């Protein structure tokens, strides 16, 4: 048998854009969306302007998509935990993604974003029927130690401050081990308000968190608070994503709500999750002063470089969260130059790429429109998602189970 050359071996590791799209049965635009969300790795072809795509990623994605009707993977069972194309699946009554829509306990999230506050949606997600968690008793107090450390960390990033201060805040919470429905809801309210205060750089209060956040992140635009409120609601939960699963794993061990939320923040700040908003912000900054904006976007598509924030595997017809938020921005800031630039990118991507914006792009467009500082998008995402993380932790406590998947061993066979 002839020996395989190094070039042949390399070619088997990679596919061209057309080959990868053909193997998956998708358009090139959809392929670029998968690459943009780091579901398929790509890299430049040596001595060429083209890009190549990891064959193993393409085939793994193909296997997951084709294992059930409609492109959804078939759930199986691994040691009592269902699996979805190799990804764990748990029963949950919190959030539903179906038919291109997002529902919080049966209520359309985009409808809630029109008028509800994050506090109201948090109570809904936590299953509070007869309990109003956001009372005056649920306003956290900062000990002198926490206040001193918060002051010392004032120049640090908002997310880094939260990660540093949450363990100390847990020590100051007198009812952290109250696992009754009322106790968990009250602790959740204090925790949400504490995260809001740390992100805003203020003392905890009973003020609506979107108003505090608008004052901290914007420069006096009176219309900003309503847009931030809607964004917080749209970010509140998104079913069993990476950070929600992390939170449930931690809660399943019996760790406190504070520990579970801290774990969620750690997972969310990664560039494939909430931190993806930073990539969108960087892209929009690069495009801010381009006179040839449309040509610049087309150039990226032509070279196989993904435009961050477009396409979502769970919403093939468009992310409803993005549509809702962009629609609200159009009503309030429809003549703003930064917003109009974002709309031009949306139009090019839909016409030339066949892709619609995800909530990541909408958050980036919000930051550009409201002139928020870099990293503000992640701060808004984390604060909104804190409500959902608390809901998942409470639901996991109620299940009484610890999450313990088994590994499929692929290493060396024991001798």
């Amino acid at each position: 048998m002839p020996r395989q050359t190094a070039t042949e071996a390399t070619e088997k590791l990679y596919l061209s854009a057309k080959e990868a799209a053909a193997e998956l049965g998708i358009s090139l635009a959809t392929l670029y969306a998968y690459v943009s969300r780091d579901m398929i790795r790509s890299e430049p072809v040596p001595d060429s302007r083209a890009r190549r795509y990891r064959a193993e990623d393409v085939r793994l994605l193909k296997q997951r998509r084709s294992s059930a009707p409609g492109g959804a993977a078939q759930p199986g069972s691994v040691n009592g935990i269902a699996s979805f194309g190799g990804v764990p699946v748990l029963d949950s009554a919190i959030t539903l993604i179906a038919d291109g829509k997002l529902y919080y306990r049966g209520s359309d999230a985009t409808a809630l974003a029109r008028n509800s506050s994050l506090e109201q949606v948090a109570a809904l997600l936590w299953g509070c029927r007869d309990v109003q968690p956001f009372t005056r008793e649920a306003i956290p107090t900062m000990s002198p130690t926490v206040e001193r450390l918060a002051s010392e960390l004032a120049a640090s990033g908002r997310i880094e401050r939260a990660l540093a201060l949450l363990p100390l805040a847990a020590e100051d919470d007198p009812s952290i081990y109250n696992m009754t429905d009322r106790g968990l809801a009250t602790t959740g309210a204090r925790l949400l308000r504490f995260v809001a205060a740390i992100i805003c750089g203020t003392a905890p209060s009973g003020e609506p968190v979107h108003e505090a956040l608008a004052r901290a992140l914007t420069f006096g635009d009176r219309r900003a608070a309503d847009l931030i409120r809607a964004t917080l609601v749209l970010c509140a939960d998104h079913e069993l994503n990476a950070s929600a699963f992390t939170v449930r794993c931690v809660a399943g061990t019996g760790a406190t709500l504070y520990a579970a939320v801290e774990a969620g923040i750690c997972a969310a700040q990664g560039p494939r999750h909430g931190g993806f908003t930073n990539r969108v912000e960087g892209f929009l900054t690069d495009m801010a002063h381009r006179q040839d904006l449309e040509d610049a976007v087309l150039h990226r598509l032509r070279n196989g470089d993904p435009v961050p924030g477009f396409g979502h595997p769970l919403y093939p017809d468009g992310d409803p969260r993005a549509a809702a938020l962009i629609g609200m921005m159009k009503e309030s800031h429809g003549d703003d130059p930064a917003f109009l630039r974002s709309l031009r990118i949306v139009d090019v991507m839909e016409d030339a790429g066949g892709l619609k914006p995800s909530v990541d792009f909408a958050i980036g467009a919000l930051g550009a429109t409201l002139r928020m500082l870099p990293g503000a998008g992640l701060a808004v995402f984390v604060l909104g998602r804190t409500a959902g993380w608390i809901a998942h932790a409470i639901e996991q406590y109620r299940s009484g189970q610890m999450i313990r998947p088994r590994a499929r061993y692929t290493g060396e066979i024991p001798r």
Side-chain angles (χ1 to χ4, degrees), residues 87-167:
V87 182
V89 174
L90 302 173
D91 290 336
S92 177
I94 299 170
T95 297
L96 171 68
I97 299 171
D99 300 323
K101 293 186 177 182
L102 174 67
Y103 301 92
Y104 298 155
R105 293 197 183 273
S107 297
D108 189 323
T110 59
L112 291 170
R114 276 286 170 183
N115 299 299
S116 300
S117 67
L118 180 62
E119 290 89 339
Q120 290 170 324
V121 169
L124 172 67
L125 291 172
W126 303 346
C128 298
R129 293 183 176 85
D130 303 319
V131 176
Q132 169 48 255
F134 291 94
T135 61
R136 293 201 60 81
E137 291 72 28
I139 299 175
T141 57
M142 283 189 179
S143 68
T145 300
V146 174
E147 286 185 349
R148 183 173 62 254
L149 183 56
S151 177
E152 292 173 357
L153 295 174
S156 301
R158 302 174 192 277
I159 303 305
E160 288 72 20
R161 287 204 303 268
L163 291 173
L165 295 172
L166 274 171

Side-chain angles (χ1 to χ4, degrees), residues 245-408:
F245 183 67
T246 301
V247 164
R248 296 187 77 118
C249 287
V250 173
T253 69
T256 67
L257 272 178
Y258 286 80
V261 167
E262 178 137 11
I265 297 175
C266 288
Q269 66 181 341
R272 297 183 181 183
H273 193 6
F276 192 80
T277 56
N278 293 333
R279 291 166 63 174
V280 176
E281 286 179 1
F283 167 72
L284 290 176
T285 299
D286 291 342
M287 296 292 110
H289 303 293
R290 295 290 296 258
Q291 299 301 316
D292 59 339
L293 181 63
E294 286 81 1
D295 288 340
V297 175
L298 289 171
H299 181 73
R300 291 180 69 110
L301 292 176
R302 196 175 298 118
N303 289 336
D305 292 333
V307 177
F310 284 86
H312 196 296
L314 294 180
Y315 303 111
D317 296 323
D319 189 333
R321 301 168 296 173
L325 184 53
I326 290 174
M328 291 184 67
M329 282 191 279
K330 190 176 294 185
E331 293 172 7
S332 62
H333 292 75
D335 57 353
D336 181 86
F339 176 67
L340 290 174
R341 277 196 304 272
S342 298
L343 279 190
R344 287 166 63 190
I345 296 171
V346 169
D347 290 341
V348 174
M349 286 299 296
E350 186 162 3
D351 292 342
L355 292 173
K356 295 183 179 181
S358 69
V359 73
D360 305 294
F361 184 84
I363 293 173
L366 176 74
T369 301
L370 299 182
R371 312 303 190 266
M372 293 195 290
L373 295 174
L378 177 58
V380 174
F381 175 88
V382 164
L383 180 54
R385 190 56 57 89
T386 296
W389 291 332
I390 293 170
H392 282 281
I394 291 173
E395 191 173 62
Q396 194 63 38
Y397 292 144
R398 292 289 169 258
S399 76
Q401 296 178 342
M402 186 171 77
I403 298 173
R404 203 311 191 176
R406 292 300 308 278
R408 182 179 293 110

Side-chain angles (χ1 to χ4, degrees), residues 49-66:
R49 298 175 66 181
R51 298 186 73 83
R52 59 189 184 182
Y53 304 83
R54 286 289 187 98
E56 62 178 322
D57 294 351
V58 171
R59 282 155 194 160
L60 178 60
L61 183 58
K62 180 181 179 181
Q63 178 184 356
R64 291 179 177 178
R65 292 174 70 247
S66 64

